Amino acid sequence: MTKRFPAIGQILGASILSVSAIGGAAFAQSELNVAMKSQPPTLDLHVTSTNTVRNVGAHINEGLFTFDENFQPKPMLAESVARSDDGLTYEITIRQGVPFHNGDELMAEDVVASLDRWMQRSSFGRTLARYVESLEASGDHSVTMTLNEPASFVVTALTTWRAGPFIYPAEVIEAAGEERITDPVGTGPFRFVEWNEGQDIILERFDDYAAVDAPASGYAGKREAMVDRLRFVFVPELSVRRIGVESGDFDMALDVDPDSFDQYQDNPDVVSFLGAPRMTTLIPNKAEGVMANPALRTALQAAVCVEDVLPVYGGETFWRADPSITWQETAWWSDAGSELYNVCDPERAQSLAGEAGYDNQQIRLAVSSDDESKFSVAQVLQQQLQMAGFNVELEVRDAAAHEATLDSKEAWDLAISEHTYRTHPILHSHLQATWTGWWESEERDRLVGEFLVASEEEAHEIWDKIHALYFKDVVVIKIGDYFEHHIAADEVEGYANMPEPFFWNVSLSE
Amino acid sequence: MGAFLVRRLAGMLVTMFIISTLVFIITNVVPGSPAALILGEDRTPDQVEALNRELGLDRSVPVRYVQWLGDLVTGDFGTSYYNDNSVASVIAGRLEPTLMLTFTSALLAVAIGIPLGIIAAVYQGTRLDYASMVVALMGAALPNFWLGLLLILLFSLYWSVFPAAGYASIFDDPGDTWRYLVLPAITLGASHAGVIARMARANLLEVMGADYLRTARSKGLRERSVVLGHALRNSMIPTFGVVGVALALMIGGSIVTEAVFAIPGVGRLLIESVLRRDFPMIQGVILLIALLVALVNLAVDIVYALLDPRVRYA
């Protein structure tokens, strides 16, 4: 049995069916082993957007809201939310009788402490913080957030997974102070047991877990730990992650190579999952150097042929050409400005470059050697751009040196980025002038300002304008989308295959 | 003997100081941002700045060096940039798998290498000699990662005899420890077994032509007694040196084997820390490896000195 990822809804439907089918299964002493490439730097969910942290931490901590299978926010630790008519006050009621893993009940003060810290420490939290006048407990189980001007994205921001507003007990927040949280206590279906440095992290079922009384849908609804122990094992070697699932040492392996996909089609013991779509872009440095010239960026954009680049991600199942900066599966998909996508016209590029005053100056394409797919993308693009007359040189560094290079305005001209999915445009880091590539634009600032306070219908129109601006300013050159590849032993049941892997409601068949 | 030991220990201290300084300089001048890796792709410059402050990276390299050296003298190895744990406690937790792997591999290398070398020397020029040396060369020439993957494929996937990856602590589950160690120990031990076999053969052959062996033979001793009783002991002194070097190399060279078999040892810790620019951790691990290598060398020297008085008075 092999699942593809043609339409998320379809897969989710199938997965949810299998969840409900095993809903009544009796628990045995069981352990689910998930092999992942590397260990997380921390289990503090507020401070980093690194996916290894969420893969583990989101089983321990929960937020006030979360996304359902259609990527609509649904209450998780919140009971309900009421917005005042002027749009300036949000009254969030918190579910009663929800215990933390330390036995204390979730109270409003925990929510206030967690959100306060999140609004200081998380890049997304700080976006919301700009609109927040005050945040206080208005009762034991209610919190009032007052804004300084109406903003339509409050609930979406509170639903974020990436560096999201996960709730910790107030004393854990206080104990952490300015440092990272080292005591991962939450309300989730699994509680933290131990972290064997370099080897594994072990969680176990939290027996007193208070589940939401609603059917499971995406990340939302009823969560249930169907196994006694959940173990995340760190296995750096790709082939060993694969063999481990095939031999039964692991139940699931995250992030394996697309080339193995075909091989698992005929293997009844292993199930292949196409994971979340991710997006590949070529980022020009808009602050300094040769690419700071917008006309030259437009010329470069015209030379890119995405169909020659995307096969580095494997067979056609693993990629798609798509102009949108927002994900095809969400309501925010847009093709505004897409006449500048995948133009693939080297001659036009050449003449535009001439008009832009390009005189064969060297263009530095920075890339990390640690990331095979980005490196391959860079090689194909280099060749493509050289054929169109651009003097592109690859500058290869290891990940740490590469990331440090990207933080310096003088050090690079082009870079490859692979973004994880975003469920809402506001979650795109490109929109911030401080993000890699430094997009300074008054028009963007004005449009984003309008976008954040607009009604939903208006917001879509404004988003189209911002989207067109992406292409006009050549903020990033969109290459396309590609999919991650995860594998599971066929005993694994109920895996929902959402963009963020999670293992509640997942069981092992006998 | 006492003066010899004092001399060696003083030399060791100087070596450790030089290594620590070099390691500090090299790790701190190599470009790379630990904060960027920790914060992820959505980081903002002020987040990077704040984390650099938290990590103490806003201070200059000389200031950091003096502080680090001061802490080191008091036994404080610092705190990991990456996950905020104490360097000493992380290394202590990672030491057991590496030591177990190294000693098992060394035992295996000696148990295979020395008999192979003896057979090759005794039957010099015969097919047995050539066959032994081909095996030894193969062991020495096969890349660790390739041999490791091949063993996993055969023994984990096809025959399900040993687990593919991981480690069980000897304090928790000694029965499981050896199951996890067999394949990595063969992988790491194979290359050293080959080198030891070749050295054992060469040294034995050198001794075999010595005058005192001709005397032994002319006394009417059987060849077995000549080889095992007289030749072997003398030829073992240089071979013992090679075993010492192999042990030292394995401590530093377990990196690849640990990565392939997902063994949470210091070798893997080192490579992970380098990739993350976790400076305190890199410095701690390299100091530890240097110390272990120095200790192995010291032990070899002491044994040499005990065996051969000329060394003591040189």
Side-chain angles (χ1 to χ4, degrees):
Chain A
M1 181 181 77
T2 300
K3 288 175 182 168
R4 296 183 174 230
F5 202 108
I8 286 180
Q10 205 178 325
I11 284 170
L12 290 175
S15 308
I16 286 154
L17 274 180
S18 53
V19 169
S20 48
I22 52 164
F27 296 124
Q29 283 294 316
S30 51
E31 181 175 274
L32 188 78
N33 289 285
V34 180
M36 47 198 255
K37 191 175 170 184
S38 56
Q39 71 174 345
T42 168
L43 288 179
D44 183 342
L45 289 152
H46 290 166
V47 297
T48 166
S49 56
T50 307
N51 61 353
T52 49
V53 180
R54 300 193 298 280
N55 288 349
V56 179
H59 295 83
I60 304 168
N61 295 89
E62 299 176 310
L64 292 174
F65 301 89
T66 195
F67 290 113
D68 69 6
E69 62 186 77
N70 301 314
F71 301 99
Q72 294 302 312
K74 287 281 176 304
M76 176 49 63
L77 291 177
E79 179 90 50
S80 60
V81 54
R83 180 170 172 245
S84 65
D85 291 340
D86 59 5
L88 286 174
T89 310
Y90 283 76
E91 178 90 20
I92 302 169
T93 311
I94 299 153
R95 280 164 52 212
Q96 296 195 14
V98 175
F100 279 110
H101 301 150
N102 62 10
D104 296 345
E105 192 193 338
L106 168 70
M107 305 298 274
E109 55 174 5
D110 302 310
V111 173
V112 171
S114 299
L115 294 187
D116 271 341
R117 179 173 188 270
W118 172 73
M119 288 194 289
Q120 286 167 26
R121 299 294 298 253
S122 153
S123 36
F124 301 117
R126 276 186 286 179
T127 306
L128 178 64
R130 291 205 292 270
Y131 295 85
V132 175
E133 181 75 41
S134 69
L135 173 74
E136 52 199 25
S138 45
D140 283 349
H141 291 93
S142 61
V143 172
T144 305
M145 182 182 279
T146 313
L147 307 184
N148 48 30
E149 60 175 303
S152 63
F153 70 107
V154 171
V155 173
T156 303
L158 292 177
T159 314
T160 321
W161 268 58
R162 303 171 55 76
F166 290 87
I167 305 299
Y168 293 84
E171 68 255 31
V172 168
I173 302 273
E174 200 180 323
E178 290 300 303
E179 311 265 302
R180 280 170 268 173
I181 289 173
T182 50
D183 185 17
V185 174
T187 56
F190 289 95
R191 65 177 199 88
F192 175 78
V193 179
E194 61 177 331
W195 182 336
N196 297 304
E197 229 287 322
Q199 187 168 9
D200 56 20
I201 293 179
I202 296 171
L203 313 182
E204 69 178 16
R205 181 172 48 235
F206 176 43
D207 288 325
D208 298 328
Y209 178 65
V212 175
D213 186 18
S217 164
Y219 312 115
K222 187 181 178 190
R223 293 178 176 183
E224 187 175 2
M226 311 283 281
V227 288
D228 297 305
R229 275 157 58 104
L230 176 56
R231 180 166 165 258
F232 294 92
V233 197
F234 318 128
V235 185
E237 184 63 35
L238 159 74
S239 46
V240 178
R241 285 202 297 284
R242 282 180 46 193
I243 293 174
V245 171
E246 293 171 31
S247 67
D249 288 321
F250 310 133
D251 301 299
M252 185 137 192
L254 301 180
D255 199 8
V256 300
D257 56 321
D259 296 340
S260 60
F261 181 78
D262 290 340
Q263 186 185 327
Y264 292 125
Q265 304 291 302
D266 307 321
N267 185 340
D269 300 328
V270 177
V271 188
S272 230
F273 292 96
L274 286 199
R278 294 166 64 103
M279 182 204 306
T280 305
T281 57
L282 177 64
I283 316 168
N285 178 350
K286 295 163 284 291
E288 282 183 28
V290 60
M291 297 315 295
N293 175 357
L296 185 60
R297 296 205 295 272
T298 309
L300 200 86
Q301 182 169 247
V304 173
C305 309
V306 304
E307 272 101 358
D308 294 339
V309 181
L310 288 167
V312 308
Y313 293 106
E316 283 187 17
T317 328
F318 278 92
W319 54 268
R320 65 185 178 207
D322 186 322
S324 182
I325 304 298
T326 31
W327 205 23
Q328 214 176 79
E329 283 77 4
T330 67
W332 295 99
W333 184 83
S334 171
D335 62 354
S338 65
E339 61 280 1
L340 296 173
Y341 173 69
N342 194 19
V343 174
C344 196
D345 186 345
E347 280 148 30
R348 177 147 173 251
Q350 227 157 15
S351 85
L352 284 172
E355 287 166 28
Y358 179 63
D359 188 20
N360 206 36
Q361 294 99 321
Q362 196 191 65
I363 302 174
R364 297 161 297 172
L365 171 51
V367 65
S368 153
S369 55
D370 295 356
D371 201 318
E372 219 176 293
S373 58
K374 276 190 206 172
F375 187 63
S376 307
V377 167
Q379 283 178 312
V380 180
L381 277 172
Q382 182 197 22
Q383 210 176 7
Q384 229 172 56
L385 295 171
Q386 277 176 344
M387 305 266 276
F390 295 96
N391 178 15
V392 175
E393 284 298 319
L394 284 194
E395 291 194 349
V396 186
R397 298 174 180 88
D398 81 333
H402 174 71
E403 295 297 327
T405 304
L406 292 190
D407 284 347
S408 157
K409 288 182 181 171
E410 306 83 40
W412 59 283
D413 299 310
L414 294 172
I416 311 289
S417 170
E418 290 177 345
H419 312 273
T420 40
Y421 81 103
R422 302 287 197 276
T423 42
H424 192 276
I426 193 61
L427 303 178
H428 272 280
S429 1
H430 314 137
L431 288 176
Q432 297 177 21
T434 51
W435 189 71
T436 314
W438 306 281
W439 182 29
E440 299 279 0
S441 161
E442 281 177 17
E443 196 176 352
R444 184 266 327 266
D445 290 343
R446 181 179 60 76
L447 287 168
V448 169
E450 287 174 15
F451 176 81
L452 291 175
V453 297
S455 71
E456 186 151 337
E457 199 178 320
E458 292 165 347
H460 278 91
E461 283 170 27
I462 300 169
W463 173 243
D464 280 343
K465 288 183 192 164
I466 298 175
H467 200 269
L469 199 59
Y470 262 90
F471 285 92
K472 186 172 147 273
D473 283 6
V474 200
V475 180
V476 292
I477 298 175
K478 172 86 191 270
I479 306 295
D481 298 340
Y482 70 98
F483 301 92
E484 293 173 326
H485 183 204
H486 311 311
I487 53 170
D490 70 334
E491 290 86 12
V492 173
E493 293 182 339
Y495 179 66
N497 200 26
M498 288 287 283
E500 307 281 355
F502 66 83
F503 303 99
W504 55 82
N505 302 348
V506 172
S507 64
L508 290 167
S509 66
E510 292 298 312
Chain B
M1 191 70 190
F4 168 78
L5 262 181
V6 169
R7 216 165 47 231
R8 297 293 313 183
L9 279 171
M12 211 173 105
L13 272 179
V14 175
T15 313
M16 295 299 292
F17 175 75
I18 294 173
I19 290 176
S20 68
T21 309
L22 278 179
V23 168
F24 190 92
I25 294 171
I26 293 170
T27 46
N28 280 277
V29 297
V30 168
S33 162
L37 286 180
I38 294 168
L39 293 168
E41 65 181 3
D42 296 313
R43 64 184 178 273
T44 58
D46 55 329
Q47 276 179 308
V48 175
E49 201 180 307
L51 187 55
N52 277 339
R53 213 168 30 244
E54 187 187 319
L55 300 177
L57 283 169
D58 53 340
R59 294 166 304 164
S60 70
V61 173
V63 171
R64 266 145 56 193
Y65 177 65
V66 171
Q67 169 119 45
W68 177 71
L69 210 57
D71 289 347
L72 200 61
V73 171
T74 62
D76 179 3
F77 283 78
T79 309
S80 160
Y81 288 169
Y82 194 65
N83 56 22
D84 239 1
N85 292 329
S86 128
V87 168
S89 75
V90 171
I91 293 180
R94 295 263 195 138
L95 201 54
E96 183 217 320
T98 299
L99 290 181
M100 289 295 293
L101 174 63
T102 310
F103 284 115
T104 322
S105 308
L107 273 180
L108 209 69
V110 170
I112 296 171
I114 289 184
L116 208 61
I118 295 174
I119 291 171
V122 172
Y123 298 99
Q124 188 198 1
T126 65
R127 284 184 184 170
L128 207 55
D129 179 20
Y130 295 132
S132 307
M133 283 307 101
V134 166
V135 171
L137 259 180
M138 272 174 64
L142 288 181
N144 272 354
F145 65 89
W146 186 84
L147 182 61
L149 288 177
L150 186 76
L151 292 175
I152 292 176
L153 208 63
L154 291 177
F155 290 94
S156 304
L157 187 59
Y158 294 151
W159 300 323
S160 300
V161 190
F162 298 112
Y167 181 74
S169 169
I170 194 157
F171 302 111
D172 296 341
D173 198 347
D176 248 12
T177 308
W178 76 267
R179 288 186 60 240
Y180 281 103
L181 275 181
V182 172
L183 299 185
I186 295 174
T187 307
L188 185 58
S191 55
H192 296 285
V195 175
I196 291 172
R198 289 178 63 78
M199 281 306 289
R201 177 181 180 272
N203 293 328
L204 192 55
L205 282 179
E206 203 178 304
V207 178
M208 290 285 264
D211 290 346
Y212 73 94
L213 286 188
R214 199 179 52 212
T215 311
R217 284 197 190 95
S218 62
K219 280 197 309 187
L221 279 182
R222 286 192 307 173
E223 191 60 21
R224 170 192 282 259
S225 310
V226 172
V227 173
L228 296 181
H230 294 266
L232 195 58
R233 275 184 67 171
N234 279 302
S235 76
M236 275 300 111
I237 297 177
T239 309
F240 185 78
V242 176
V243 174
V245 172
L247 200 59
L249 282 176
M250 281 185 200
I251 292 171
S254 58
I255 295 173
V256 174
T257 312
E258 288 180 6
V260 169
F261 290 94
I263 295 172
V266 285
R268 209 177 117 199
L269 177 63
L270 177 63
I271 194 87
E272 286 166 358
S273 306
V274 169
L275 292 177
R276 292 168 187 154
R277 301 294 191 273
D278 191 348
F279 302 149
M281 195 63 83
I282 301 173
Q283 287 146 13
V285 175
I286 295 201
L287 270 189
L288 173 84
I289 291 176
L291 182 70
L292 288 175
V293 172
L295 284 176
V296 168
N297 281 334
L298 183 68
V300 170
D301 283 350
I302 291 173
V303 176
Y304 260 21
L306 288 176
L307 289 177
D308 189 344
R310 286 171 301 181
V311 176
R312 253 176 287 167
Y313 302 113

